[in-house]
Amino acid sequence: MKITKEKFDKKLIELYLKNGYSKDDFNYNAEDFEKKGQNQKSYPLYFSKKKWNMFLKNLKEDKEAYKSYVLGGGSETIEKYIKRGKTYNPPKMAAVASSSRFIYSTFIDKKYKDKISKIVGDILDGEFRFEHILPFKNVSKSFLDGSYISKDKAVFLEAKCHEIFDKHKIVLRKAYYESGLLTSDNDFSLQISNVILKDKTVEINKCEFNLDEEEELLLDVKQFITHLFGIANYNLPKTKKELVYFYFNPRGIKDLNEESKKFRKELDKKYELLEKQFDAFSNSKPISSFCKRHNISLRLVYSVNDTFESDLIVDNRLYFEF
């Protein structure tokens, strides 16, 4: 059975329907199409406009969170007209598999310490924020989905949902190489033989991070690296820092019907490969030495709830402290 991002999203809708939602809660209609002379278009893998407006109203009442998503610049909360294709994109957070919606819904009850403790263990009182942006070395910025900063630990969260179906190459802008981020002793010290320089980019061979060159790469290594640079540059030199990759991995899919049991088995294979790659990457020489130098630990965690809004059930899969 071939499983895809679209099929995964449809399974999420089935889980929502099983947990009290109705069919009317889905299928976003981009009404503003008509203003541009276009026919109204529906997006079946998004929540309905009515459901979205209810969500947005609640989000706006959480002023700090709303400000974070608006300033994030990622069209999370607005319809976006694409002139080139003459199409509208619904708000990203209206998607049933939106990772931003996933992390916001997880912490919507503001029980930040309780939820973070489920993910990383006991922790002191701290401050939570969504969409934490961390600049580094005048080269770029790292965009984290969330963070929890306390006196004993700074936890940074990268949320994922159907991104398990994405495939990646390890390609960064050439500025990463020219600035010394990838080569100096203070940072990665990559083997030059595994670095391929091009006009505007630099590509790194998978083997540099103990990854199989022949396997599809489910782990977004390029993003992972930028997150590490941003966290290392964060001004907390004596505080332990932890980067958590937080995946929505609903175990309830297997209980929907017979076909869904087969889907769940194939999905498990995806996550097994992800764990294998996360393990290899974390234990590679460039990453383990960098994390040790900057006091960063790494963690892979699953939320195994049926829906984003369900009580958080956590499955801690991998943890590395260097």
Side-chain angles (χ1 to χ4, degrees):
M1 169 187 276
K2 183 178 180 181
I3 59 175
T4 63
K5 186 178 287 189
E6 181 179 352
K7 289 180 179 179
F8 178 81
D9 291 2
K10 288 179 178 179
K11 293 298 178 188
L12 296 191
I13 291 176
E14 288 183 50
L15 285 171
Y16 272 105
L17 293 174
K18 183 181 176 182
N19 283 272
Y21 282 63
S22 73
K23 291 183 179 180
D24 291 338
D25 291 328
F26 303 94
N27 201 8
Y28 188 100
N29 289 314
E31 297 167 0
D32 288 341
F33 266 70
E34 296 174 1
K35 296 178 183 178
K36 299 288 182 179
Q38 304 292 313
N39 293 324
Q40 189 181 81
K41 187 174 180 180
S42 296
Y43 294 81
L45 301 180
Y46 285 69
F47 287 95
S48 68
K49 193 76 173 275
K50 180 180 179 180
K51 200 73 176 175
W52 163 250
N53 285 334
M54 292 169 60
F55 177 87
L56 184 59
K57 180 177 181 293
N58 291 331
L59 177 60
K60 286 181 176 179
E61 290 175 358
D62 188 344
K63 293 181 180 179
E64 286 301 315
Y66 181 65
K67 181 181 178 181
S68 297
Y69 287 115
V70 170
L71 293 179
S75 302
E76 296 288 351
T77 62
I78 60 172
E79 286 186 3
K80 190 172 183 180
Y81 182 68
I82 310 298
K83 290 183 179 179
R84 192 173 186 179
K86 294 183 178 181
T87 60
Y88 264 95
N89 286 340
K92 290 182 178 180
M93 288 182 82
V96 296
S98 161
S99 55
S100 294
R101 190 186 185 109
F102 164 42
I103 193 167
Y104 178 72
S105 297
T106 298
F107 294 98
I108 196 170
D109 57 6
K110 299 186 184 298
K111 294 180 180 178
Y112 302 125
K113 182 181 177 182
D114 292 346
K115 297 286 180 71
I116 291 293
S117 294
K118 282 188 177 184
I119 295 170
V120 303
D122 292 339
I123 196 166
L124 298 176
D125 290 334
E127 180 182 348
F128 189 92
R129 64 189 292 185
F130 296 102
E131 298 286 285
H132 198 154
I133 301 173
L134 302 176
F136 54 89
K137 212 168 185 176
N138 297 320
V139 174
S140 189
K141 297 177 182 178
S142 175
F143 295 83
L144 279 302
D145 289 305
S147 67
Y148 182 88
I149 311 298
S150 69
K151 290 183 179 179
D152 60 331
K153 184 180 286 189
V155 179
F156 299 91
L157 296 162
E158 175 60 33
K160 301 289 187 184
C161 191
H162 61 193
E163 289 85 352
I164 187 71
F165 293 95
D166 293 337
K167 299 174 184 178
H168 305 279
K169 290 184 177 181
I170 313 174
V171 179
L172 299 96
R173 289 188 296 111
K174 201 170 184 178
Y176 284 83
Y177 183 85
E178 294 172 338
S179 67
L181 277 171
L182 298 175
T183 55
S184 71
D185 289 338
N186 291 325
D187 294 294
F188 270 54
S189 300
L190 300 179
Q191 294 186 50
I192 299 301
S193 60
N194 286 325
V195 177
I196 304 168
L197 292 176
K198 298 184 179 181
D199 288 342
K200 296 181 179 181
T201 62
V202 54
E203 184 171 351
I204 306 171
N205 291 332
K206 295 178 186 177
C207 62
E208 181 68 24
F209 303 107
N210 296 342
L211 298 165
D212 191 328
E213 293 286 353
E214 303 302 317
E215 285 182 342
E216 62 180 9
L217 186 56
L218 304 184
L219 187 67
D220 190 347
V221 170
K222 179 259 185 184
Q223 182 197 58
F224 209 133
I225 290 172
T226 61
H227 285 344
L228 289 176
F229 285 147
I231 293 169
N233 193 57
Y234 194 59
N235 190 25
L236 291 170
K238 295 183 180 180
T239 302
K240 290 183 178 179
K241 296 176 278 287
E242 185 166 320
L243 173 56
V244 179
Y245 268 68
F246 186 43
Y247 278 78
F248 185 67
N249 183 6
R251 299 286 166 79
I253 286 177
K254 70 181 188 315
D255 300 319
L256 290 170
N257 50 48
E258 285 300 315
E259 181 271 338
S260 294
K261 290 180 181 178
K262 297 177 183 178
F263 185 96
R264 182 66 248 188
K265 285 183 179 179
E266 293 301 313
L267 188 59
D268 285 340
K269 293 178 184 178
K270 286 274 187 185
Y271 280 104
E272 286 170 8
L273 179 56
L274 174 72
E275 290 175 24
K276 175 186 173 185
Q277 293 175 352
F278 193 98
D279 184 295
F281 176 78
S282 299
N283 283 305
S284 66
K285 184 178 179 181
I287 300 304
S288 59
S289 59
F290 182 88
C291 288
K292 184 176 181 179
R293 186 179 302 118
H294 295 285
N295 201 18
I296 302 172
S297 55
L298 306 175
R299 190 184 298 268
L300 176 64
V301 177
Y302 300 151
S303 165
V304 297
N305 309 17
D306 278 1
T307 69
F308 293 169
E309 295 77 14
S310 305
D311 288 339
L312 180 63
I313 304 172
V314 166
D315 182 3
N316 263 286
R317 302 301 295 179
L318 295 171
Y319 175 70
F320 300 95
E321 187 173 10
F322 305 96

